[in-house]
Amino acid sequence: CLLCFGGCNWQGNSSSNIDAIVCIDACFTQKRRSGLQDDPVNPTATVFLSQEEIDSMESEVDSLRKKKPSVQRRSGYVSKRHHKDEEDGFEQGMRIPTSVLQNCNESFTAADEKCQKASTQFFSDTGVMALLCRHDHVIHLANMTSAGEKQHYALALIKSLFSHLPDNFHIGLLYDIGCQLEQSCRKWGFLKPFLPQISFAISVFHAFGHQWPCQLIYHPRKWEGFGLSDGEGCECFWSSIKGLIPSLHVSGFHQRLFVIDFQVHYLDVKSLTGLGQWLLQRWNHCQAKKASAIKGLRKCGVDSLTLQAEWAAQVAVQTKATPLGHSAKATENIILQIMATQKSLENYETRLEELEKDLLHGASDMTSLNIQLAECHQKVKSFKQALQKQKATLGVNGLADLATLQSNSYLQLSMHALAIQTRIRDRLHQRKFELERLERSYHQTVSEQRLQNHTVTSVKWCEPGIVKLSTNYNNMCLQMAALIHQGKAPQGSIAPVLIPRDALFKLDVDDDIWQDAGLEDDTGRLPPAWLADENVQSGIRSLLELRRCEEEERCLLYERRMLMEWFSEEWSHLQ
């Protein structure tokens, strides 16, 4: 790309700065059917990696993974799938706990290399993986032949990029599962010579599927160096070549690569004439966001140094490892089950008392009454047995927590609200993943159109259930606020933030749905300003936005200079 890598773009920056920003994504609609006759090799230049480069990286990945035991002993890694009773921790070089990485991994099919996204039985080439710069220019493509999104394709693209860059050139890499890719690189030693020169991040569109601690570290709007880049350039590229899908399904191997190459060349020429307009649009967008951020900072009334310190404290607290994280979560779930079982038991015991009263006073239909009594006795017996088994799994500390919870209505509300909030998040994640199919449909056959119609219906059908959950959650939050006002809550308690219905389905990075304020066990301590002070919270958001706008400004000014230098050189040469 002219603006990213042209001329003297390398500035010799320190490792904390980013010289260029790139994004990676895979598309499994650009595939080719099996059993087609081979065609002649295309002699023209190509943006595709050679099969030898891809095979070499796959062999390197397999070789490094076979050394797992020795690597883990030398480096002191925490196993990714650690036992549920072990303490949570950090893998070497990672900034978020292992438990968070596991949850992110479970959220994305892209992170699961064994997930089949295209059939190798019917297709010889199953898709294309692309590496683009922030100006949506294709740098390299990799032809995919596996059923899933194997990591070696992304690694091969990154390695090829660095082979053309100066030493110490630092890139910012945006990828749907950037956290998982960095974890693999650090765990297995992938891209070891280049790893210090890569800042990993997640693309903005997919940030909603990651855990909140992961977003604090990997969201490009929350961390240094990425400006206002969003990592969605690949989506624009896939959309621009969607018209090739039908014909390339039945083309020859080399013909398919040639046609995509030709389209890439056409898009590059087309984009070159519009770079000036692109810079102008980005500059205007940046200035508008910068003005909004400055206004927000002034309104909050908190100085920047204080906001920076509060942001650092928030990141430190919300990304820390939780001792016995999995056991604590399991205990919490068991306590919720016990409370539900007790509630059901109480209902059946009340019903049993009513039936026994009817028996004493006489009933017209004794047969039916006896049947109901027998059923009710059986239910009471079953729930008592279940309750006994559930309590037996808690242990001493768990039983103490249960006793405290049962005697405190505020803590009961807090635990139920946290459970409902988790359900809302899960339902919103599922809804967003379904919408992704609609927002990113590149080519539709009749069957795919039916699937889209079904998805639309499914999404609309789920919305009332999510709204009902949010209403229940907000009602519990109001009850908790009332208990705090009445002095019936533990000292230092703060009420959770209500979830506004109009912003419920947006899943913005700063939405209240991500916050656990008032739901975690922080009672007895004064809450920090970043958690309890609305002015500090809004100030932090404005400060981060201002920092990204300032980065974007510097980048755009440098890109403008590069474009002017290139144009001057072209003009002089023409004269």
Side-chain angles (χ1 to χ4, degrees), residues 103-281:
N103 291 330
C104 289
N105 180 64
E106 293 168 359
S107 298
F108 286 92
T109 55
D112 185 1
E113 294 186 336
K114 297 180 181 179
C115 177
Q116 292 196 0
K117 299 182 179 180
S119 172
T120 54
Q121 180 180 356
F122 302 106
F123 296 97
S124 298
D125 302 310
T126 55
V128 176
M129 183 172 282
L131 174 70
L132 276 72
C133 71
R134 84 184 212 106
H135 311 100
D136 301 344
H137 285 195
V138 174
I139 302 172
H140 288 304
L141 298 177
N143 184 49
M144 303 175 69
T145 56
S146 61
E149 195 167 329
K150 301 285 187 180
Q151 281 187 341
H152 68 267
Y153 293 111
L155 297 172
L157 288 168
I158 298 169
K159 183 178 181 180
S160 180
L161 171 63
F162 273 104
S163 68
H164 299 284
L165 298 178
D167 294 338
N168 298 324
F169 195 98
H170 198 92
I171 69 166
L173 178 65
L174 290 155
Y175 186 30
D176 296 348
I177 49 172
C179 58
Q180 304 295 315
L181 186 61
E182 181 178 12
Q183 181 194 31
S184 295
C185 288
R186 296 192 181 280
K187 182 174 183 177
W188 306 108
F190 304 150
L191 302 175
K192 196 171 184 178
F194 314 116
L195 201 54
Q197 299 161 236
I198 305 174
S199 292
F200 293 87
I202 52 180
S203 55
V204 171
F205 185 88
H206 281 82
F208 69 88
H210 290 260
Q211 301 296 301
W212 176 246
C214 182
Q215 294 187 43
L216 290 176
I217 297 299
Y218 287 96
H219 199 293
R221 295 290 185 271
K222 293 192 173 295
W223 214 246
E224 298 177 357
F226 288 91
L228 298 179
S229 299
D230 56 15
E232 297 304 321
C234 291
E235 306 304 331
C236 298
F237 175 60
W238 302 138
S239 179
S240 66
I241 64 172
K242 64 181 181 181
L244 304 176
I245 293 174
S247 58
L248 295 188
H249 270 197
V250 292
S251 68
F253 173 78
H254 296 101
Q255 181 188 26
R256 172 172 169 269
L257 301 188
F258 169 77
V259 171
I260 295 177
D261 274 324
F262 200 79
Q263 185 72 9
V264 168
H265 176 71
Y266 164 75
L267 293 172
D268 284 346
V269 173
K270 181 181 177 181
S271 175
L272 182 61
T273 61
L275 278 179
Q277 186 64 30
W278 182 91
L279 283 171
L280 178 61
Q281 291 175 350

Side-chain angles (χ1 to χ4, degrees), residues 272-338:
L272 182 61
T273 61
L275 278 179
Q277 186 64 30
W278 182 91
L279 283 171
L280 178 61
Q281 291 175 350
R282 293 292 292 237
W283 180 264
N284 290 338
H285 175 65
C286 177
Q287 293 307 304
K289 291 186 74 68
K290 182 180 179 181
S292 175
I294 292 174
K295 182 179 179 181
L297 277 175
R298 290 173 180 169
K299 185 178 180 181
C300 78
V302 185
D303 65 274
S304 297
L305 289 177
T306 301
L307 293 174
Q308 191 65 45
E310 289 293 333
W311 167 243
Q314 179 181 357
V315 172
V317 170
Q318 295 189 325
T319 58
K320 67 181 180 181
T322 305
L324 295 178
H326 286 257
S327 293
K329 188 66 177 177
T331 300
E332 182 179 301
N333 290 333
I334 294 173
I335 289 176
L336 285 173
Q337 292 174 9
I338 288 174

